[in-house]
Amino acid sequence: MNATYIQNSIAQLKKEIFMDVRHRTLQKYTGTPVIDENQLFYLLVPFLNGEEWLQEQREAAITVGIVYAALSAHDHIKELDATSKEQQLTVLAGDFYSGRYYEILAMSGNVALIRKLSQGIVARCEHQIKVYEATKRSIEQWIASMSTIESGLIAKFFELYSFEKYIPIVEKSLIILRLEREWVAYHRGQVSLMSKALEESARFDGTTYYSVIQDKIVQLKKELLQEITEASFLQGDVKQALQARVEASIASTNG
């Protein structure tokens, strides 16, 4: 398995997701659904590693991708301006994608997947709501919330199909990427509600946002590389692909 095979696998999954949620008007005003290819890669890691991946798993993975597209559409609504046609249609796009994954799940009759994804969506929303609450939370608590937001749905999918051994690697990988996005956005002056919450917690602990995020990213990358190296269940080419992504991330951060 090489990088081309991995990218083609991601592209094929992405194409199948788009086919299930395509809508001419929504695409005209909001573009194609926003789907993070990193999430798709980590969603596919068990498949790439040779785990049993039948049609049921394939359809379930597509549904997970649609859920992420729906939640992403809602996440992209501007906090202070939801009155334009584009913004209103973005809301509708999220609702449309939500309707599609409910329809697909209902048609499949996969009650176990419905239960798992429902649990994942509820948990994700609960953690997103926390940024609006006045309760003081530690840096570690905020990072745990971000981890649930980024990888919780994939973790539920893995639990359903007995891929639990992959969860720690995927959780660390996606939280690193999220922290790096927050870091880059913060330097550009694009401060999110989550960045504000992290900054406030850092100040409360007597440190700074910069040092906390930098130190956490370095720590998590070190732990992740060690976990990947020691994971005896990973095939050599999958292990190399995972390591390459971490190392590319390191190079990007250093740059």
Side-chain angles (χ1 to χ4, degrees), residues 30 32-36 39 68-82 84 86-88 90-91 93-94 97 124 128 181:
T30 66
T32 55
V34 177
I35 300 175
D36 186 342
Q39 288 175 326
Y68 271 118
L71 295 170
S72 179
H74 284 140
D75 290 346
H76 278 72
I77 301 302
K78 295 179 182 177
E79 295 175 17
L80 300 179
D81 176 20
S84 69
E86 288 77 9
Q87 289 292 302
Q88 291 172 16
T90 301
V91 174
Y97 304 151
R124 188 183 193 275
Q128 285 181 306
R181 289 199 304 272

PDB file of all heavy atoms in Angstrom, residues 30 32-36 39 68-82 84 86-88 90-91 93-94 97 124 128 181:
ATOM      1  N   THR A  30     -23.519  27.194  -1.350  1.00  0.00           N
ATOM      2  CA  THR A  30     -22.664  26.824  -0.215  1.00  0.00           C
ATOM      3  C   THR A  30     -21.478  25.953  -0.617  1.00  0.00           C
ATOM      4  O   THR A  30     -20.628  25.654   0.218  1.00  0.00           O
ATOM      5  CB  THR A  30     -23.478  26.071   0.857  1.00  0.00           C
ATOM      6  OG1 THR A  30     -23.908  24.798   0.322  1.00  0.00           O
ATOM      7  CG2 THR A  30     -24.705  26.870   1.272  1.00  0.00           C
ATOM      8  N   THR A  32     -19.591  22.429  -2.220  1.00  0.00           N
ATOM      9  CA  THR A  32     -19.711  21.021  -1.836  1.00  0.00           C
ATOM     10  C   THR A  32     -19.597  20.909  -0.315  1.00  0.00           C
ATOM     11  O   THR A  32     -19.040  21.792   0.344  1.00  0.00           O
ATOM     12  CB  THR A  32     -18.604  20.185  -2.501  1.00  0.00           C
ATOM     13  OG1 THR A  32     -17.328  20.744  -2.175  1.00  0.00           O
ATOM     14  CG2 THR A  32     -18.778  20.157  -4.002  1.00  0.00           C
ATOM     15  N   PRO A  33     -20.112  19.836   0.257  1.00  0.00           N
ATOM     16  CA  PRO A  33     -20.021  19.660   1.712  1.00  0.00           C
ATOM     17  C   PRO A  33     -18.581  19.736   2.195  1.00  0.00           C
ATOM     18  O   PRO A  33     -17.659  19.281   1.515  1.00  0.00           O
ATOM     19  CB  PRO A  33     -20.606  18.259   1.925  1.00  0.00           C
ATOM     20  CG  PRO A  33     -21.467  18.024   0.743  1.00  0.00           C
ATOM     21  CD  PRO A  33     -20.816  18.730  -0.406  1.00  0.00           C
ATOM     22  N   VAL A  34     -18.392  20.314   3.361  1.00  0.00           N
ATOM     23  CA  VAL A  34     -17.051  20.413   3.940  1.00  0.00           C
ATOM     24  C   VAL A  34     -16.742  19.108   4.659  1.00  0.00           C
ATOM     25  O   VAL A  34     -17.389  18.766   5.654  1.00  0.00           O
ATOM     26  CB  VAL A  34     -16.961  21.597   4.930  1.00  0.00           C
ATOM     27  CG1 VAL A  34     -15.582  21.629   5.578  1.00  0.00           C
ATOM     28  CG2 VAL A  34     -17.244  22.907   4.208  1.00  0.00           C
ATOM     29  N   ILE A  35     -15.787  18.386   4.143  1.00  0.00           N
ATOM     30  CA  ILE A  35     -15.393  17.107   4.733  1.00  0.00           C
ATOM     31  C   ILE A  35     -13.885  17.111   4.926  1.00  0.00           C
ATOM     32  O   ILE A  35     -13.131  17.326   3.976  1.00  0.00           O
ATOM     33  CB  ILE A  35     -15.805  15.927   3.844  1.00  0.00           C
ATOM     34  CG1 ILE A  35     -17.333  15.918   3.650  1.00  0.00           C
ATOM     35  CG2 ILE A  35     -15.339  14.612   4.449  1.00  0.00           C
ATOM     36  CD1 ILE A  35     -17.819  14.860   2.686  1.00  0.00           C
ATOM     37  N   ASP A  36     -13.457  16.912   6.138  1.00  0.00           N
ATOM     38  CA  ASP A  36     -12.042  16.918   6.476  1.00  0.00           C
ATOM     39  C   ASP A  36     -11.408  15.593   6.034  1.00  0.00           C
ATOM     40  O   ASP A  36     -11.771  14.523   6.538  1.00  0.00           O
ATOM     41  CB  ASP A  36     -11.885  17.102   7.990  1.00  0.00           C
ATOM     42  CG  ASP A  36     -10.445  17.275   8.424  1.00  0.00           C
ATOM     43  OD1 ASP A  36      -9.535  16.915   7.637  1.00  0.00           O
ATOM     44  OD2 ASP A  36     -10.214  17.756   9.547  1.00  0.00           O
ATOM     45  N   GLN A  39     -10.005  13.400   8.772  1.00  0.00           N
ATOM     46  CA  GLN A  39     -10.980  12.561   9.456  1.00  0.00           C
ATOM     47  C   GLN A  39     -11.298  11.320   8.630  1.00  0.00           C
ATOM     48  O   GLN A  39     -11.436  10.218   9.181  1.00  0.00           O
ATOM     49  CB  GLN A  39     -12.250  13.358   9.750  1.00  0.00           C
ATOM     50  CG  GLN A  39     -12.065  14.382  10.862  1.00  0.00           C
ATOM     51  CD  GLN A  39     -13.291  15.247  11.081  1.00  0.00           C
ATOM     52  OE1 GLN A  39     -14.004  15.567  10.134  1.00  0.00           O
ATOM     53  NE2 GLN A  39     -13.532  15.629  12.323  1.00  0.00           N
ATOM     54  N   TYR A  68     -20.487  14.094   9.821  1.00  0.00           N
ATOM     55  CA  TYR A  68     -19.463  15.133   9.966  1.00  0.00           C
ATOM     56  C   TYR A  68     -19.748  16.315   9.033  1.00  0.00           C
ATOM     57  O   TYR A  68     -19.551  17.474   9.405  1.00  0.00           O
ATOM     58  CB  TYR A  68     -18.073  14.567   9.673  1.00  0.00           C
ATOM     59  CG  TYR A  68     -17.377  13.991  10.879  1.00  0.00           C
ATOM     60  CD1 TYR A  68     -17.031  12.640  10.948  1.00  0.00           C
ATOM     61  CD2 TYR A  68     -17.028  14.800  11.964  1.00  0.00           C
ATOM     62  CE1 TYR A  68     -16.380  12.113  12.052  1.00  0.00           C
ATOM     63  CE2 TYR A  68     -16.382  14.278  13.077  1.00  0.00           C
ATOM     64  CZ  TYR A  68     -16.060  12.932  13.119  1.00  0.00           C
ATOM     65  OH  TYR A  68     -15.426  12.418  14.215  1.00  0.00           O
ATOM     66  N   ALA A  69     -20.214  16.038   7.813  1.00  0.00           N
ATOM     67  CA  ALA A  69     -20.541  17.114   6.874  1.00  0.00           C
ATOM     68  C   ALA A  69     -21.675  17.971   7.412  1.00  0.00           C
ATOM     69  O   ALA A  69     -21.648  19.203   7.309  1.00  0.00           O
ATOM     70  CB  ALA A  69     -20.922  16.524   5.515  1.00  0.00           C
ATOM     71  N   ALA A  70     -22.682  17.339   7.990  1.00  0.00           N
ATOM     72  CA  ALA A  70     -23.818  18.066   8.552  1.00  0.00           C
ATOM     73  C   ALA A  70     -23.382  18.949   9.712  1.00  0.00           C
ATOM     74  O   ALA A  70     -23.739  20.135   9.793  1.00  0.00           O
ATOM     75  CB  ALA A  70     -24.897  17.079   9.014  1.00  0.00           C
ATOM     76  N   LEU A  71     -22.595  18.384  10.611  1.00  0.00           N
ATOM     77  CA  LEU A  71     -22.139  19.151  11.774  1.00  0.00           C
ATOM     78  C   LEU A  71     -21.196  20.270  11.350  1.00  0.00           C
ATOM     79  O   LEU A  71     -21.225  21.367  11.917  1.00  0.00           O
ATOM     80  CB  LEU A  71     -21.450  18.208  12.767  1.00  0.00           C
ATOM     81  CG  LEU A  71     -22.370  17.149  13.394  1.00  0.00           C
ATOM     82  CD1 LEU A  71     -21.553  16.115  14.158  1.00  0.00           C
ATOM     83  CD2 LEU A  71     -23.397  17.797  14.311  1.00  0.00           C
ATOM     84  N   SER A  72     -20.372  20.016  10.342  1.00  0.00           N
ATOM     85  CA  SER A  72     -19.453  21.031   9.842  1.00  0.00           C
ATOM     86  C   SER A  72     -20.210  22.202   9.229  1.00  0.00           C
ATOM     87  O   SER A  72     -19.835  23.367   9.410  1.00  0.00           O
ATOM     88  CB  SER A  72     -18.509  20.420   8.808  1.00  0.00           C
ATOM     89  OG  SER A  72     -17.618  21.383   8.301  1.00  0.00           O
ATOM     90  N   ALA A  73     -21.294  21.903   8.507  1.00  0.00           N
ATOM     91  CA  ALA A  73     -22.105  22.971   7.900  1.00  0.00           C
ATOM     92  C   ALA A  73     -22.652  23.890   8.974  1.00  0.00           C
ATOM     93  O   ALA A  73     -22.606  25.121   8.850  1.00  0.00           O
ATOM     94  CB  ALA A  73     -23.239  22.363   7.083  1.00  0.00           C
ATOM     95  N   HIS A  74     -23.135  23.323  10.058  1.00  0.00           N
ATOM     96  CA  HIS A  74     -23.653  24.146  11.149  1.00  0.00           C
ATOM     97  C   HIS A  74     -22.529  24.920  11.846  1.00  0.00           C
ATOM     98  O   HIS A  74     -22.716  26.063  12.268  1.00  0.00           O
ATOM     99  CB  HIS A  74     -24.397  23.269  12.153  1.00  0.00           C
ATOM    100  CG  HIS A  74     -25.749  22.844  11.676  1.00  0.00           C
ATOM    101  ND1 HIS A  74     -26.259  21.582  11.879  1.00  0.00           N
ATOM    102  CD2 HIS A  74     -26.703  23.507  10.978  1.00  0.00           C
ATOM    103  CE1 HIS A  74     -27.467  21.495  11.345  1.00  0.00           C
ATOM    104  NE2 HIS A  74     -27.753  22.642  10.789  1.00  0.00           N
ATOM    105  N   ASP A  75     -21.346  24.295  11.944  1.00  0.00           N
ATOM    106  CA  ASP A  75     -20.209  24.962  12.587  1.00  0.00           C
ATOM    107  C   ASP A  75     -19.737  26.182  11.803  1.00  0.00           C
ATOM    108  O   ASP A  75     -19.137  27.102  12.372  1.00  0.00           O
ATOM    109  CB  ASP A  75     -19.031  23.998  12.743  1.00  0.00           C
ATOM    110  CG  ASP A  75     -19.298  22.926  13.786  1.00  0.00           C
ATOM    111  OD1 ASP A  75     -20.257  23.076  14.555  1.00  0.00           O
ATOM    112  OD2 ASP A  75     -18.541  21.929  13.809  1.00  0.00           O
ATOM    113  N   HIS A  76     -19.991  26.212  10.486  1.00  0.00           N
ATOM    114  CA  HIS A  76     -19.488  27.286   9.644  1.00  0.00           C
ATOM    115  C   HIS A  76     -20.401  28.516   9.603  1.00  0.00           C
ATOM    116  O   HIS A  76     -20.112  29.473   8.901  1.00  0.00           O
ATOM    117  CB  HIS A  76     -19.242  26.782   8.216  1.00  0.00           C
ATOM    118  CG  HIS A  76     -17.933  26.076   8.065  1.00  0.00           C
ATOM    119  ND1 HIS A  76     -17.704  24.828   8.600  1.00  0.00           N
ATOM    120  CD2 HIS A  76     -16.770  26.446   7.468  1.00  0.00           C
ATOM    121  CE1 HIS A  76     -16.468  24.464   8.326  1.00  0.00           C
ATOM    122  NE2 HIS A  76     -15.883  25.407   7.637  1.00  0.00           N
ATOM    123  N   ILE A  77     -21.483  28.496  10.355  1.00  0.00           N
ATOM    124  CA  ILE A  77     -22.355  29.661  10.408  1.00  0.00           C
ATOM    125  C   ILE A  77     -21.649  30.774  11.178  1.00  0.00           C
ATOM    126  O   ILE A  77     -21.126  30.573  12.272  1.00  0.00           O
ATOM    127  CB  ILE A  77     -23.687  29.329  11.110  1.00  0.00           C
ATOM    128  CG1 ILE A  77     -24.399  28.211  10.377  1.00  0.00           C
ATOM    129  CG2 ILE A  77     -24.575  30.565  11.190  1.00  0.00           C
ATOM    130  CD1 ILE A  77     -24.698  28.497   8.939  1.00  0.00           C
ATOM    131  N   LYS A  78     -21.608  31.954  10.609  1.00  0.00           N
ATOM    132  CA  LYS A  78     -20.972  33.080  11.281  1.00  0.00           C
ATOM    133  C   LYS A  78     -21.768  33.446  12.526  1.00  0.00           C
ATOM    134  O   LYS A  78     -22.986  33.541  12.501  1.00  0.00           O
ATOM    135  CB  LYS A  78     -20.891  34.286  10.347  1.00  0.00           C
ATOM    136  CG  LYS A  78     -19.986  34.062   9.138  1.00  0.00           C
ATOM    137  CD  LYS A  78     -19.977  35.276   8.236  1.00  0.00           C
ATOM    138  CE  LYS A  78     -19.106  35.043   7.006  1.00  0.00           C
ATOM    139  NZ  LYS A  78     -19.136  36.184   6.071  1.00  0.00           N
ATOM    140  N   GLU A  79     -21.055  33.650  13.615  1.00  0.00           N
ATOM    141  CA  GLU A  79     -21.709  33.903  14.884  1.00  0.00           C
ATOM    142  C   GLU A  79     -22.532  35.190  14.880  1.00  0.00           C
ATOM    143  O   GLU A  79     -23.545  35.290  15.559  1.00  0.00           O
ATOM    144  CB  GLU A  79     -20.657  33.981  15.999  1.00  0.00           C
ATOM    145  CG  GLU A  79     -19.943  32.659  16.217  1.00  0.00           C
ATOM    146  CD  GLU A  79     -18.826  32.787  17.228  1.00  0.00           C
ATOM    147  OE1 GLU A  79     -18.821  33.782  17.967  1.00  0.00           O
ATOM    148  OE2 GLU A  79     -17.969  31.896  17.274  1.00  0.00           O
ATOM    149  N   LEU A  80     -22.119  36.185  14.115  1.00  0.00           N
ATOM    150  CA  LEU A  80     -22.793  37.487  14.172  1.00  0.00           C
ATOM    151  C   LEU A  80     -23.618  37.789  12.931  1.00  0.00           C
ATOM    152  O   LEU A  80     -24.217  38.845  12.836  1.00  0.00           O
ATOM    153  CB  LEU A  80     -21.752  38.601  14.378  1.00  0.00           C
ATOM    154  CG  LEU A  80     -20.929  38.482  15.657  1.00  0.00           C
ATOM    155  CD1 LEU A  80     -19.918  39.630  15.736  1.00  0.00           C
ATOM    156  CD2 LEU A  80     -21.818  38.493  16.887  1.00  0.00           C
ATOM    157  N   ASP A  81     -23.640  36.894  11.955  1.00  0.00           N
ATOM    158  CA  ASP A  81     -24.389  37.175  10.731  1.00  0.00           C
ATOM    159  C   ASP A  81     -24.925  35.896  10.129  1.00  0.00           C
ATOM    160  O   ASP A  81     -24.225  35.183   9.444  1.00  0.00           O
ATOM    161  CB  ASP A  81     -23.494  37.892   9.705  1.00  0.00           C
ATOM    162  CG  ASP A  81     -24.234  38.117   8.382  1.00  0.00           C
ATOM    163  OD1 ASP A  81     -25.480  38.068   8.393  1.00  0.00           O
ATOM    164  OD2 ASP A  81     -23.563  38.326   7.360  1.00  0.00           O
ATOM    165  N   ALA A  82     -26.182  35.605  10.418  1.00  0.00           N
ATOM    166  CA  ALA A  82     -26.816  34.423   9.842  1.00  0.00           C
ATOM    167  C   ALA A  82     -28.038  34.841   9.038  1.00  0.00           C
ATOM    168  O   ALA A  82     -29.022  34.136   8.961  1.00  0.00           O
ATOM    169  CB  ALA A  82     -27.202  33.450  10.943  1.00  0.00           C
ATOM    170  N   SER A  84     -27.795  36.424   5.720  1.00  0.00           N
ATOM    171  CA  SER A  84     -27.636  36.414   4.272  1.00  0.00           C
ATOM    172  C   SER A  84     -28.188  35.121   3.691  1.00  0.00           C
ATOM    173  O   SER A  84     -28.371  34.119   4.393  1.00  0.00           O
ATOM    174  CB  SER A  84     -26.155  36.543   3.900  1.00  0.00           C
ATOM    175  OG  SER A  84     -25.462  35.366   4.259  1.00  0.00           O
ATOM    176  N   GLU A  86     -26.678  33.101   1.709  1.00  0.00           N
ATOM    177  CA  GLU A  86     -25.662  32.054   1.809  1.00  0.00           C
ATOM    178  C   GLU A  86     -25.655  31.424   3.197  1.00  0.00           C
ATOM    179  O   GLU A  86     -25.561  30.204   3.355  1.00  0.00           O
ATOM    180  CB  GLU A  86     -24.279  32.620   1.478  1.00  0.00           C
ATOM    181  CG  GLU A  86     -24.060  32.949   0.016  1.00  0.00           C
ATOM    182  CD  GLU A  86     -24.738  34.257  -0.408  1.00  0.00           C
ATOM    183  OE1 GLU A  86     -25.230  34.990   0.493  1.00  0.00           O
ATOM    184  OE2 GLU A  86     -24.787  34.527  -1.618  1.00  0.00           O
ATOM    185  N   GLN A  87     -25.768  32.278   4.230  1.00  0.00           N
ATOM    186  CA  GLN A  87     -25.758  31.764   5.598  1.00  0.00           C
ATOM    187  C   GLN A  87     -27.009  30.942   5.892  1.00  0.00           C
ATOM    188  O   GLN A  87     -26.948  29.874   6.508  1.00  0.00           O
ATOM    189  CB  GLN A  87     -25.642  32.923   6.598  1.00  0.00           C
ATOM    190  CG  GLN A  87     -24.284  33.603   6.612  1.00  0.00           C
ATOM    191  CD  GLN A  87     -23.211  32.679   7.163  1.00  0.00           C
ATOM    192  OE1 GLN A  87     -23.302  32.190   8.279  1.00  0.00           O
ATOM    193  NE2 GLN A  87     -22.193  32.408   6.364  1.00  0.00           N
ATOM    194  N   GLN A  88     -28.146  31.431   5.437  1.00  0.00           N
ATOM    195  CA  GLN A  88     -29.386  30.694   5.652  1.00  0.00           C
ATOM    196  C   GLN A  88     -29.354  29.352   4.936  1.00  0.00           C
ATOM    197  O   GLN A  88     -29.818  28.336   5.459  1.00  0.00           O
ATOM    198  CB  GLN A  88     -30.571  31.537   5.180  1.00  0.00           C
ATOM    199  CG  GLN A  88     -30.830  32.767   6.049  1.00  0.00           C
ATOM    200  CD  GLN A  88     -31.876  33.687   5.444  1.00  0.00           C
ATOM    201  OE1 GLN A  88     -32.619  33.293   4.552  1.00  0.00           O
ATOM    202  NE2 GLN A  88     -31.945  34.913   5.930  1.00  0.00           N
ATOM    203  N   THR A  90     -26.666  27.706   4.274  1.00  0.00           N
ATOM    204  CA  THR A  90     -25.711  26.852   4.979  1.00  0.00           C
ATOM    205  C   THR A  90     -26.400  26.122   6.120  1.00  0.00           C
ATOM    206  O   THR A  90     -26.143  24.944   6.373  1.00  0.00           O
ATOM    207  CB  THR A  90     -24.523  27.682   5.515  1.00  0.00           C
ATOM    208  OG1 THR A  90     -23.866  28.330   4.417  1.00  0.00           O
ATOM    209  CG2 THR A  90     -23.516  26.794   6.233  1.00  0.00           C
ATOM    210  N   VAL A  91     -27.285  26.833   6.815  1.00  0.00           N
ATOM    211  CA  VAL A  91     -28.085  26.184   7.857  1.00  0.00           C
ATOM    212  C   VAL A  91     -28.922  25.063   7.244  1.00  0.00           C
ATOM    213  O   VAL A  91     -28.980  23.937   7.760  1.00  0.00           O
ATOM    214  CB  VAL A  91     -29.009  27.199   8.567  1.00  0.00           C
ATOM    215  CG1 VAL A  91     -29.942  26.479   9.544  1.00  0.00           C
ATOM    216  CG2 VAL A  91     -28.190  28.246   9.306  1.00  0.00           C
ATOM    217  N   ALA A  93     -28.325  23.490   4.519  1.00  0.00           N
ATOM    218  CA  ALA A  93     -27.445  22.414   4.065  1.00  0.00           C
ATOM    219  C   ALA A  93     -27.180  21.442   5.213  1.00  0.00           C
ATOM    220  O   ALA A  93     -27.251  20.217   5.044  1.00  0.00           O
ATOM    221  CB  ALA A  93     -26.131  22.982   3.537  1.00  0.00           C
ATOM    222  N   GLY A  94     -26.877  21.986   6.385  1.00  0.00           N
ATOM    223  CA  GLY A  94     -26.650  21.125   7.548  1.00  0.00           C
ATOM    224  C   GLY A  94     -27.871  20.295   7.870  1.00  0.00           C
ATOM    225  O   GLY A  94     -27.775  19.097   8.166  1.00  0.00           O
ATOM    226  N   TYR A  97     -28.239  17.547   5.133  1.00  0.00           N
ATOM    227  CA  TYR A  97     -27.314  16.440   5.347  1.00  0.00           C
ATOM    228  C   TYR A  97     -27.767  15.582   6.531  1.00  0.00           C
ATOM    229  O   TYR A  97     -27.672  14.349   6.489  1.00  0.00           O
ATOM    230  CB  TYR A  97     -25.892  16.946   5.593  1.00  0.00           C
ATOM    231  CG  TYR A  97     -25.341  17.844   4.511  1.00  0.00           C
ATOM    232  CD1 TYR A  97     -24.404  18.828   4.814  1.00  0.00           C
ATOM    233  CD2 TYR A  97     -25.753  17.715   3.194  1.00  0.00           C
ATOM    234  CE1 TYR A  97     -23.893  19.659   3.828  1.00  0.00           C
ATOM    235  CE2 TYR A  97     -25.252  18.548   2.202  1.00  0.00           C
ATOM    236  CZ  TYR A  97     -24.330  19.527   2.531  1.00  0.00           C
ATOM    237  OH  TYR A  97     -23.838  20.349   1.554  1.00  0.00           O
ATOM    238  N   ARG A 124     -20.876  15.281  21.399  1.00  0.00           N
ATOM    239  CA  ARG A 124     -20.186  16.351  20.668  1.00  0.00           C
ATOM    240  C   ARG A 124     -20.842  17.698  20.935  1.00  0.00           C
ATOM    241  O   ARG A 124     -20.163  18.685  21.232  1.00  0.00           O
ATOM    242  CB  ARG A 124     -20.205  16.045  19.172  1.00  0.00           C
ATOM    243  CG  ARG A 124     -19.366  16.981  18.310  1.00  0.00           C
ATOM    244  CD  ARG A 124     -19.548  16.592  16.840  1.00  0.00           C
ATOM    245  NE  ARG A 124     -18.577  17.208  15.970  1.00  0.00           N
ATOM    246  CZ  ARG A 124     -18.698  18.428  15.443  1.00  0.00           C
ATOM    247  NH1 ARG A 124     -19.751  19.169  15.726  1.00  0.00           N
ATOM    248  NH2 ARG A 124     -17.759  18.910  14.634  1.00  0.00           N
ATOM    249  N   GLN A 128     -19.419  21.132  22.775  1.00  0.00           N
ATOM    250  CA  GLN A 128     -19.391  22.418  22.076  1.00  0.00           C
ATOM    251  C   GLN A 128     -20.099  23.503  22.876  1.00  0.00           C
ATOM    252  O   GLN A 128     -19.706  24.663  22.864  1.00  0.00           O
ATOM    253  CB  GLN A 128     -20.030  22.276  20.696  1.00  0.00           C
ATOM    254  CG  GLN A 128     -19.154  21.560  19.684  1.00  0.00           C
ATOM    255  CD  GLN A 128     -19.813  21.457  18.318  1.00  0.00           C
ATOM    256  OE1 GLN A 128     -20.938  20.972  18.205  1.00  0.00           O
ATOM    257  NE2 GLN A 128     -19.129  21.905  17.291  1.00  0.00           N
ATOM    258  N   ARG A 181      -4.547  23.794  14.279  1.00  0.00           N
ATOM    259  CA  ARG A 181      -5.443  24.738  13.590  1.00  0.00           C
ATOM    260  C   ARG A 181      -5.767  25.933  14.489  1.00  0.00           C
ATOM    261  O   ARG A 181      -5.779  27.081  14.034  1.00  0.00           O
ATOM    262  CB  ARG A 181      -6.744  24.040  13.168  1.00  0.00           C
ATOM    263  CG  ARG A 181      -6.583  23.049  12.045  1.00  0.00           C
ATOM    264  CD  ARG A 181      -7.911  22.741  11.365  1.00  0.00           C
ATOM    265  NE  ARG A 181      -8.926  22.266  12.290  1.00  0.00           N
ATOM    266  CZ  ARG A 181      -9.096  20.989  12.619  1.00  0.00           C
ATOM    267  NH1 ARG A 181      -8.299  20.067  12.122  1.00  0.00           N
ATOM    268  NH2 ARG A 181     -10.061  20.634  13.440  1.00  0.00           N
TER     269      ARG A 181
END
